[in-house]
Amino acid sequence: MRKSLLSVLLLVVAGCTWLGVEQVKRAPQTPLEALYMAASTGLGLTLQVNDLYASGLITKEQHDRSIAQLQKSRDAIAIGLDAVRGCGIPGASCNPSQGQTRLDQAEIILRDIAALLAMVERTKNQPHAVLKVIVVPERIYA
Amino acid sequence: MNAAIIAEVLNAGFSLIATLRRQGMTNAEINARLDLVDQGGKAITVDEVDAQLSAWQQALNAGKQMP
C-alpha cells in the first residue's frame, strides 16, 4: 500500500517533469536536417535505453533487443546520409530512393523503440516526438 | 516501510525523471541548432550528421558491452 502511494507520488513528480520537457519545435526542412534530427533522437533514445537498463527498469532482453534495433536504425540513417551526400557532389553516386527507403526503415525502428519507452511509462509522447523529427520522405526528396 | 522497497521505488522514480530530462536535453539541442539555421546561420552539414552518427555508434557500443 505504502509502496503504491510512493509510486503514485513519484509518477506525479515525473508528470510535472514531463510537462517541463522541451519539445522539438518544427519539422525538418531539408534532408540533412532530417538526418541530423533523426541521428540526434536515435542517440538520445540509445542513452535512455542504456540508462533504463542500468537502473533495472527494463530487462536485459528488452535492452539487447532495443540496442539491436537501434543499431539497424543507425545503419539505415548512415546509408541515407550516404545517399544524400552523393547528391550534392557532381559525378558522385546519388540515390534518393535508397535514402527514402532507409529513412522509412529507420522511422519504423525508432517508433518501436519509442513504443518500448512508452510501455515502461517513461516518455509518454515519444512516438509523436519521433514522428516529428523523422521527416516524411516525400518532403525530403520532393 | 521496508528500506529496500523505498530504495526500489525511489530508484525507479529518479530514473524516470532523469530519462525525461535527457529527452528534454536532446530536444533542446535540436531546437538550438534549428534556431541557428532559422536565424540565417550555417545550415546543418554532412559533417555534423556524421558526428551525431559517430556519437550514436559509441553509445550503442557502450550498450552492447553492458553486462
Side-chain angles (χ1 to χ4, degrees):
Chain A
M1 180 64 179
R2 285 179 180 173
K3 182 181 177 182
S4 297
L5 286 173
L6 191 51
S7 298
V8 168
L9 180 63
L10 280 167
L11 279 175
V12 169
V13 172
C16 293
T17 305
W18 175 76
L19 287 174
V21 170
E22 185 167 346
Q23 301 299 309
V24 176
K25 289 178 181 172
R26 68 165 171 83
Q29 294 171 352
T30 68
L32 281 175
E33 280 187 10
L35 291 165
Y36 176 82
M37 294 163 81
S40 298
T41 301
L43 169 61
L45 287 174
T46 303
L47 294 172
Q48 288 177 49
V49 166
N50 285 347
D51 281 352
L52 289 173
Y53 176 59
S55 305
L57 293 174
I58 58 174
T59 66
K60 178 165 179 56
E61 183 189 355
Q62 287 174 314
H63 174 260
D64 291 352
R65 195 170 67 233
S66 299
I67 290 295
Q69 295 287 17
L70 283 163
Q71 182 68 65
K72 286 182 188 173
S73 179
R74 188 254 173 217
D75 293 344
I77 291 170
I79 292 172
L81 176 62
D82 285 341
V84 171
R85 188 189 339 238
C87 295
I89 303 172
S93 172
C94 175
N95 191 346
S97 62
Q98 185 186 38
Q100 176 177 323
T101 302
R102 295 298 179 173
L103 273 177
D104 282 344
Q105 293 172 353
E107 177 187 351
I108 292 168
I109 293 167
L110 287 176
R111 286 174 65 184
D112 284 347
I113 300 301
L116 167 67
L117 295 181
M119 187 176 70
V120 292
E121 295 182 333
R122 303 301 176 244
T123 49
K124 290 179 183 174
N125 73 334
Q126 194 61 25
H128 177 61
V130 172
L131 278 175
K132 278 172 67 180
V133 300
I134 308 295
V135 76
V136 177
E138 299 89 85
R139 288 187 61 185
I140 294 182
Y141 299 106
Chain B
M1 191 184 309
N2 187 313
I5 293 176
I6 296 175
E8 179 189 337
V9 174
L10 286 178
N11 183 45
F14 287 133
S15 296
L16 167 55
I17 292 168
T19 298
L20 290 169
R21 287 189 63 190
R22 171 157 280 165
Q23 181 58 44
M25 286 166 61
T26 299
N27 290 344
E29 288 168 8
I30 291 173
N31 284 337
R33 188 63 186 88
L34 291 179
D35 283 346
L36 202 62
V37 173
D38 293 342
Q39 291 164 10
K42 186 179 74 171
I44 288 171
T45 64
V46 168
D47 287 345
E48 283 179 273
V49 181
D50 259 338
Q52 289 297 87
L53 287 173
S54 295
W56 189 358
Q57 188 58 58
Q58 287 178 13
L60 287 167
N61 292 341
K64 289 173 186 174
Q65 291 171 1
M66 293 174 84

